Amino acid sequence: MTRLTSDGDGVDRRRFLAATGGLGVAGLAGCMGTESDDEDDDADGGSSIGQIGSGRAGRDAPGGTSMSEMPDLSGELTVYSGRGEFLVGELVTYIEELYDDFELNVRYGGATDLVNTITNEGEGSRADVFYSVNAGSLGALADAGRTQSLSEDVTGMVRSEFTTEQWIGTSGRARTVPFNTDSLSESGIPDDIMAFPDEFDGDLGWAPSYGSCQAFVTAMRIIEGEEATREWVESVVESGITPYNNEFAACQGIADGEIDAAFTNHYYIQRVLDGNPEASIDTAFTSGDAGAVFNVAGAAVVDTASDATLAENFVRHLLSAEAQDYFARSTFEYPLIPDVEPVGNLPTIDELDVPDIDLTELSDLEATIDLMRDAGAEV
């Protein structure tokens, strides 16, 4: 595999397989500034689905469609990835090494920056696939006319709300209210995000400079309106909410007893518990509001793809049983195919009360940042 630098030159990237075969997510959790080639034989001597990355004891082999049942990948492909190498590098390396005649080049960067890069590169862009951390960037690239339609064979692999003709979600994350189980019970957490902080008895935390938190406030602007959102931000700031650099740190602060609850994505709670299963933290959910948004990472085939079929088949591999299980076990995200379950004591996607909003609108962060600053948040 070649890792592309910011100026487009190819340099050899270090391989993850030998170093990360036993990698635990406790290590991953300490690297929030960013985001194996094993196939075990079963007792009968047959081959089970290979599970990539750090294992989870007692977890069965995933359901869904195995990579072995998908079209072979052959040729050269360039992926512009807005997902961090530390989070997905092992997975894309695994996919490349399944095929002798497949060469994968990956350029890592911020999702918004890569959208701008593809747009500025025009018809000369090297990108075949854009892999994004969120739906907003996927929508922005599609709105710029820089994506190709995906086949129904691919879009039909996930629920309709997680795909369009131009892009498809590959894993998901739910907004939650993590809380300290020593000081609170779930019944003490309001199920309406707008009830905070007035109807909550405890110390709150958040990460206002973090993109996920800003997307959460953006969802509130869309659902509740500008004025109600401004009043909400002012009220939580006035309540003395504790700011953290990122949402993992906020969840760790809950487990350490620094605060009682916070506003974060669900997987940060699971990462704290992975490092310490006895940590005093659990997950609560609000209902049908900005605190319950479900966003997706996903992929699109770029309009400049030299081989659109190869590009789409790579995207299909991100929805394979192995890849979906990797997201569940190694990044603690929600898998988007129904035959793979998330890790942790979490409700299914069907059981979540998710608001009906256009996820691509969550990329409108500039107005949100201005609002948060005006309301006194440390952004």
Side-chain angles (χ1 to χ4, degrees):
M1 176 183 294
T2 301
R3 184 189 189 283
L4 302 180
T5 58
S6 58
D7 60 3
D9 294 333
V11 295
D12 290 337
R13 63 180 296 276
R14 64 185 179 87
R15 297 289 184 178
F16 282 145
L17 294 182
T20 61
L23 179 66
V25 181
L28 182 153
C31 298
M32 290 298 100
T34 12
E35 225 207 99
S36 86
D37 192 321
D38 262 359
E39 182 169 319
D40 298 326
D41 290 337
D42 61 28
D44 298 324
S47 178
S48 63
I49 293 175
Q51 292 189 338
I52 312 163
S54 55
R56 295 289 172 265
R59 185 172 171 88
D60 294 334
T65 304
S66 171
M67 292 183 191
S68 64
E69 301 173 56
M70 293 184 170
D72 289 350
L73 302 181
S74 178
E76 185 174 353
L77 194 71
T78 297
V79 175
Y80 281 22
S81 178
R83 303 217 67 187
E85 183 175 10
F86 193 84
L87 288 178
V88 300
E90 187 179 1
L91 172 63
V92 296
T93 298
Y94 179 90
I95 295 173
E96 182 189 35
E97 294 195 346
L98 283 178
Y99 303 100
D100 293 337
D101 299 322
F102 180 50
E103 181 179 350
L104 190 59
N105 309 305
V106 184
R107 177 173 181 171
Y108 292 98
T112 301
D113 291 341
L114 290 175
V115 169
N116 292 333
T117 297
I118 293 170
T119 302
N120 293 333
E121 287 175 343
E123 295 181 359
S125 178
R126 301 174 61 181
D128 298 305
V129 172
F130 173 52
Y131 186 21
S132 174
V133 70
N134 57 50
S137 294
L138 291 165
L141 191 65
D143 289 345
R146 298 304 312 275
T147 58
Q148 300 189 37
S149 296
L150 298 169
S151 70
E152 292 183 1
D153 287 344
V154 173
T155 59
M157 297 179 75
V158 304
R159 296 158 56 126
S160 60
E161 60 263 43
F162 302 140
T163 186
T164 70
E165 289 185 357
Q166 302 298 313
W167 58 264
I168 189 165
T170 54
S171 57
R173 54 190 179 272
R175 291 302 292 181
T176 61
V177 183
F179 64 94
N180 183 284
T181 54
D182 290 337
S183 60
L184 294 168
S185 64
E186 189 171 355
S187 63
I189 307 297
D191 67 355
D192 178 0
I193 199 68
M194 303 306 289
F196 290 91
D198 294 341
E199 298 178 25
F200 175 72
D201 184 18
D203 295 324
L204 287 167
W206 66 345
S209 296
Y210 211 50
S212 293
C213 183
Q214 293 167 4
F216 152 61
V217 179
T218 301
M220 188 178 292
R221 288 177 48 231
I222 294 168
I223 297 169
E224 308 291 345
E226 297 282 333
E227 189 56 34
T229 301
R230 183 185 304 276
E231 291 176 359
W232 185 90
V233 174
E234 288 174 346
S235 67
V236 295
V237 170
E238 290 171 0
S239 75
I241 191 169
T242 300
Y244 289 87
N245 290 334
N246 57 64
E247 293 187 347
F248 173 77
C251 286
Q252 190 62 60
I254 292 171
D256 292 342
E258 298 171 357
I259 54 175
D260 297 306
F263 309 113
T264 76
N265 284 338
H266 81 276
Y267 45 69
Y268 296 113
I269 304 158
Q270 299 305 317
R271 291 172 186 173
V272 169
L273 289 169
D274 188 63
N276 177 14
E278 304 302 318
S280 300
I281 189 170
D282 202 353
T283 310
F285 296 85
T286 59
S287 299
D289 54 32
V293 167
F294 189 93
N295 204 344
V296 297
V301 176
V302 183
D303 65 336
T304 52
S306 56
D307 186 340
T309 300
L310 174 62
E312 181 173 285
N313 284 334
F314 172 80
V315 173
R316 191 190 304 252
H317 277 62
L318 297 177
L319 293 161
S320 66
E322 296 95 329
Q324 292 291 292
D325 190 57
Y326 172 88
F327 295 134
R329 292 182 300 106
S330 292
T331 67
F332 293 106
E333 294 171 284
Y334 269 89
L336 292 190
I337 63 172
D339 298 314
V340 181
E341 296 181 352
V343 166
N345 184 23
L346 297 171
T348 66
I349 294 175
D350 285 330
E351 292 169 333
L352 296 171
D353 187 359
V354 177
D356 183 16
I357 63 172
D358 180 355
L359 293 177
T360 62
E361 294 183 28
L362 299 182
S363 63
D364 180 21
L365 297 183
E366 186 174 354
T368 296
I369 293 170
D370 289 342
L371 181 152
M372 293 176 71
R373 285 174 175 160
D374 289 345
E378 298 179 17
V379 181

